[in-house]
Amino acid sequence: MKKILLAAFTLALFVSSSALAQKGGGLRGNVLDKNTGEPIMFGTVLLQGTSIGTNTDVDGFFSIGNVPVGSYTMVVSSIGFDSAAVKVTIKEGGISSHQVTLSESSIQLGAVEISSRREQARSDVSISKVTVTANQIKALPGTGGQADIAQYLPVLPGIISTGDQGGQIYIRGGSPIQNRILLDGMTIFNPFHSIGFYSVFETEIIKTVDVLTAGFNAEYGGRVSAVIDLKTREGNRKRISGLVSANPFQAKAVLEGPIKKFEEGGGSSSFIFTAKHSYINETSPLLYSYAVDTTFYPSAGEGLSENDRKRLPFSFTDFYGKISFMAANGSKLNLFGFNFNDDVNYIGVAKLGWQNVGGGTSFTLIPPNSNLIIGGTVAYSDYNIELQEAGEQPRSSGISNYNVKLDFTYFGLHNEIKYGFEIIGLDTRFKFRNFVGNTINQNNNTSELGAFVKYKAKYGDFIFEPSLRLQVYASQSKTLLEPRLGMKYNVTDHFRLKAAGGFYSQNLISSVNELDVVNLFVGFLTAPEEQVFKSNTTELAPHRLQKAVHAVFGTEIDLAKKVELNVEPYYKGFTQLIQINRNKLTPTDPNFVTEKGKAYGIDLTLRYETKKVYLWGTYSLAYVDRDDGEQIYPTIFDRRHNVNLLGTYKFGKTNDWEAALRWNMGSGFPFTLTQGFYENTNFDDGLNTSPLTNNGDLGVVLDTKRNGGRLPFYHRMDGSLKRTFKFGKYTSLEVVASASNMYNRENIFYFDRIRAKRINQLPIMPSLGITFNF
């Protein structure tokens, strides 16, 4: 397969060398909202009377190369805005640049029927890729009345979460460490708070979230499963604005405004700042004490006060700020920084805390006389976590990360080529002591270099996108070529076929073991520099990296004007995975063990959307297996069946009411059955220890068949009702009544074998939230 992909890529480069050399001129520009100066995403740009056109990107930017010389009328349109017509003249070898502003339409014209999303689907491969906006996230009935990307991701096909507490995201058979999560081009480690409902990302400032669940192109590297690429918007360029919000779970504030106001035809600058703080640990004794008693202190919390036994132990505080400068031609510079904190305090049992701080800059440079666009990111972050359990040695981990990325994009008439490089530096610090007292201590400094080239061409109804990534792992003295390929064929205007595949690798390892039901301690290590062996053998492994191969096929069908169906079968083969050897019994045992795995299945998505109604349904059939050399077993996140239904409805004279419901049903997760119990005597006094008089700890004898049992089916419904009161052009009040687990389903979280007690996930949790916008 690798030879086939390399041949396809070589052919593409040969074709592109002639395609990009075509004569003509360039047309590019930015499409902005006339009232706010904000970019208009996915708008349509068309030269009237021709088939030449494109869509704006997430920054409102568009570029068309090799346009035949002549005079044209450029028509720019976007749903919800009045169209604009601009006279343009294309000269040989010249670049025609334009800043186009659109006014909000007071009347939604019925003639505008084709959504920009469908237009984009016809011109991009977009396999195993879902683009999510802030408005879509906010339509979700969120816990505490505040929707969050952490709650929205499990609604998407192929993505599951293991629980309400410490729940991590698993994407098409990949564990959390195998998913790369980016914020404005910077890698974010452990982006989800311990309570599981909330991420570190503020929904109000999200521009787009690209979720790539498999088969992603060579622009992304360093992970073997998936990528979540989140971009934040710039601040208001016209006026000071913001919001304050509060509910029983958290309070937050957003403040934004211009530094230099936007004026048509000119540049601008702005700022945006967000802050949020949770206080569920303070409100839970009063509002949600019934949830805590059964879930968090199964042993009745001996020695704790009545108030503490009814306290949810979670809290977090997040800050994010961004300053943006934008030139008239679309060139821009962003400066950003963040400070994310999370704390968990099971009083008298365990205390955990982590902090992630960082910052950086991103830029887009648009030279006036070149059809080459230059982009880049320079960023640094530092993540530290520590867990202190009663009577145990503390566990700690830290990772400092810097990344420098530079890319170049050239636009042709029906093709484009993008190439660039990325330098990543990692400094990892990890200390862990296992159950027999053996310590694993790793302090590593390493670097990675990635270079990529991606070519995209449209030949009639066929879209061809080969790409190639060169990945260099310095600490492993390993250089890899990773060819990848994406294709789409527009069979008709309403029926499309697509496929993608490629090779992937990564250096990073997580301290979270895939056998754990819940583990709040999320530490990071780089790949071992010591020898590793093939699964359950003494034979040396050929390398010390994690590797995978992806293959995805799919079809998109527009069943009706407002109904879309997407079907995608997929396969991921994990040829080598590496984990910490937590069963290390002697100092000479290896610190790491290897295994293989595979994930395969099919995802179906059905979507219906009008001005008032949004319906979304998904079904996933999935199989996720691992092979440790002794047996092939399902992982703890192997959910065979998963169904998600989401519906929102706007009503009232001015659509000031919005109701939303979300229902999720999933088959039970695997677990290892219990065979029996034994008394585990610790000989702390050596030969003076008497097994007859000492009371040892209760040990568990597990079934030899790993994960041979299945928990019961999970299902839950969440709902919300929102009312918006408008006091002026910019001032409004939103009141949201919501409830998680509306019919109070007792979903099992795990079973405490020692205490013989079932631990459930959270029960019904109603809330009322208020948001004031200005």
Side-chain angles (χ1 to χ4, degrees), residues 342 365 382 412 430 446 580 652 692 724 763:
D342 187 271
L365 179 62
D382 185 49
F430 181 81
T446 187
I580 295 173
L692 299 176
T724 303

Side-chain angles (χ1 to χ4, degrees), residues 505-653:
S505 65
Q506 77 175 66
N507 186 31
L508 209 60
I509 301 171
S510 173
S511 67
V512 176
N513 193 289
E514 292 183 3
L515 302 180
D516 290 332
V517 176
V518 58
N519 191 334
L520 300 179
F521 181 80
V522 181
F524 298 92
L525 308 87
T526 53
E529 297 181 11
E530 64 190 69
Q531 293 179 339
V532 295
F533 301 92
K534 290 185 177 180
S535 305
N536 199 37
T537 71
T538 57
E539 183 182 352
L540 285 177
H543 57 83
R544 292 164 295 186
L545 296 169
Q546 301 187 82
K547 289 187 178 182
V549 59
H550 296 186
V552 193
F553 302 92
T555 180
E556 300 169 356
I557 307 172
D558 301 331
L559 298 176
K561 191 174 292 184
K562 298 168 184 176
V563 182
E564 305 165 14
L565 173 66
N566 186 77
V567 181
E568 286 187 4
Y570 65 89
Y571 173 84
K572 291 180 182 179
F574 300 100
T575 55
Q576 179 166 286
L577 299 173
I578 300 175
Q579 292 191 19
I580 295 173
N581 183 10
R582 300 201 307 181
N583 293 320
K584 179 175 179 174
L585 298 177
T586 69
T588 59
D589 286 342
N591 289 324
F592 301 90
V593 293
T594 65
E595 59 183 10
K596 298 180 291 184
K598 59 184 178 181
Y600 56 95
I602 186 170
D603 293 327
L604 293 87
T605 305
L606 189 65
R607 176 181 185 143
Y608 172 82
E609 186 173 11
T610 67
K611 283 176 57 181
K612 289 180 174 289
V613 178
Y614 177 77
L615 300 176
W616 170 275
T618 67
Y619 168 72
S620 296
L621 173 67
Y623 297 83
V624 186
D625 296 330
R626 296 287 187 262
D627 182 355
D628 64 1
E630 291 184 356
Q631 57 181 296
I632 298 174
Y633 63 94
T635 66
I636 60 151
F637 51 91
D638 175 40
R639 172 160 279 172
R640 186 73 67 245
H641 305 281
N642 195 45
V643 177
N644 270 289
L645 300 176
L646 171 64
T648 66
Y649 176 60
K650 295 180 180 179
F651 58 99
K653 288 185 178 180

Side-chain angles (χ1 to χ4, degrees), residues 453-483:
V453 58
K454 178 184 71 172
Y455 175 67
K456 175 186 171 184
K458 188 173 182 181
Y459 304 102
D461 293 320
F462 183 71
I463 303 169
F464 186 55
E465 189 181 274
S467 60
L468 180 66
R469 188 173 184 91
L470 176 71
Q471 194 75 19
V472 180
Y473 296 100
S475 64
Q476 303 297 320
S477 301
K478 202 76 174 176
T479 300
L480 303 176
L481 274 178
E482 299 175 351

Side-chain angles (χ1 to χ4, degrees), residues 178-411:
Q178 295 156 8
N179 308 321
R180 188 176 184 186
I181 300 181
L182 300 168
L183 173 63
D184 290 329
M186 174 172 48
T187 302
I188 298 296
F189 300 96
N190 198 13
F192 303 108
H193 286 297
S194 298
I195 193 171
F197 293 132
Y198 300 107
S199 70
V200 299
F201 310 120
E202 174 49 56
T203 304
E204 299 292 340
I205 67 168
I206 288 176
K207 182 187 291 182
T208 59
V209 183
D210 288 332
V211 183
L212 302 100
T213 56
F216 46 92
N217 64 52
E219 187 176 353
Y220 300 100
R223 295 295 186 277
V224 296
S225 183
V227 174
I228 298 175
D229 190 357
L230 188 148
K231 296 179 176 66
T232 60
R233 63 178 177 86
E234 291 79 21
N236 195 313
R237 300 173 185 173
K238 283 278 194 173
R239 62 181 183 85
I240 297 291
S241 62
L243 64 84
V244 290
S245 176
N247 60 65
F249 285 75
Q250 64 171 336
K252 67 179 184 180
V254 179
L255 183 65
E256 58 184 306
I259 299 173
K260 178 185 177 183
K261 285 189 177 182
F262 166 76
E263 295 179 0
E264 287 190 54
S268 63
S269 57
S270 64
F271 72 90
I272 190 165
F273 178 78
T274 72
K276 59 182 177 182
H277 176 70
S278 73
Y279 39 73
I280 187 65
N281 56 327
E282 302 298 334
T283 58
S284 52
L286 177 64
L287 301 176
Y288 304 116
S289 59
Y290 59 90
V292 186
D293 285 337
T294 59
T295 306
F296 293 100
Y297 294 104
S299 59
E302 292 89 346
L304 299 182
S305 68
E306 181 71 16
N307 212 41
D308 286 339
R309 280 192 288 112
K310 296 180 178 180
R311 188 185 305 278
L312 284 164
F314 306 108
S315 65
F316 60 82
T317 304
D318 298 329
F319 298 100
Y320 181 83
K322 182 177 182 180
I323 299 175
S324 304
F325 304 89
M326 183 171 179
N329 72 339
S331 294
K332 65 176 186 177
L333 172 69
N334 293 312
L335 305 172
F336 52 86
F338 63 85
N339 188 334
F340 305 139
N341 295 268
D342 187 271
D343 289 287
V344 182
N345 188 9
Y346 291 94
I347 301 173
V349 178
K351 187 173 183 180
L352 175 140
W354 59 256
Q355 181 183 47
N356 195 1
V357 298
T361 180
S362 62
F363 64 88
T364 301
L365 179 62
I366 304 175
N369 298 311
S370 172
N371 211 24
L372 189 71
I373 309 301
I374 305 171
T377 303
V378 179
Y380 172 84
S381 68
D382 185 49
Y383 167 85
N384 289 282
I385 184 170
E386 183 173 275
L387 171 64
Q388 178 65 68
E389 296 176 290
E392 300 289 339
Q393 293 291 320
R395 282 189 258 173
S396 63
S397 178
I399 180 167
S400 300
N401 169 74
Y402 72 82
N403 66 291
V404 178
K405 183 179 180 182
L406 192 64
D407 58 66
F408 306 85
T409 308
Y410 184 91
F411 295 90

Side-chain angles (χ1 to χ4, degrees), residues 404-452:
V404 178
K405 183 179 180 182
L406 192 64
D407 58 66
F408 306 85
T409 308
Y410 184 91
F411 295 90
L413 182 58
H414 297 297
N415 46 54
E416 69 179 65
I417 188 166
K418 185 173 185 178
Y419 57 93
F421 66 87
E422 182 177 28
I423 301 172
I424 297 175
L426 296 169
D427 175 15
T428 59
R429 308 166 296 277
F430 181 81
K431 188 174 183 180
F432 168 76
R433 188 177 182 182
N434 71 1
F435 66 99
V436 295
N438 284 310
T439 299
I440 298 174
N441 198 345
Q442 187 198 74
N443 292 277
N444 276 350
N445 288 284
T446 187
S447 59
E448 301 175 14
L449 172 64
F452 72 92

